[in-house]
Amino acid sequence: MTPAVPDTASDVVRWAAFSCVLVPVVLVWYGTSLAGAAGTALGLAAVTGVCRLLLTQSERGAARLLAEEHAPHRGRHGRSGAGGHRGGRRSGGNRPVD
């Protein structure tokens, strides 16, 4: 049986969502206006959304790199085998063949 891999991005987003609720409640508790607490909540929600987007992009990129690491390398343009290389330097130059 394979060990379960923790989903760290979801954990981070869950804690951030929790703080989006908790911070404004604490601010109101300590006497901040409702408008100030609501603005703070919106700011935290915006930062949480951007962080979630960046985390999912990072996870997709890491998964893509891992998949490429395990796939056989086929060279440029996906061709396999030893074909003729165009445009490279040749050792013979333009000298006539004897």
Side-chain angles (χ1 to χ4, degrees), residues 79-85:
R79 294 188 192 114
S80 61
H85 295 280

Side-chain angles (χ1 to χ4, degrees), residues 6-91:
D7 190 13
T8 55
S10 293
D11 291 342
V12 169
V13 171
R14 263 189 239 118
W15 278 106
F18 175 71
S19 71
C20 287
V21 173
L22 181 65
V23 169
V25 169
V26 170
L27 287 174
V28 169
W29 181 268
Y30 281 102
T32 306
S33 68
L34 286 175
T40 302
L42 287 175
L44 286 172
V47 169
T48 301
V50 170
C51 288
R52 181 177 183 209
L53 178 73
L54 291 173
L55 279 169
T56 50
Q57 281 183 337
S58 176
E59 286 178 338
R60 286 179 187 162
R64 191 178 309 121
L65 283 176
L66 189 63
E68 287 176 2
E69 205 172 85
H70 293 294
H73 183 67
R74 295 186 53 126
R76 192 172 182 188
H77 302 295
R79 294 188 192 114
S80 61
H85 295 280
R86 296 182 302 249
R89 287 187 146 202
R90 294 180 180 87
S91 62

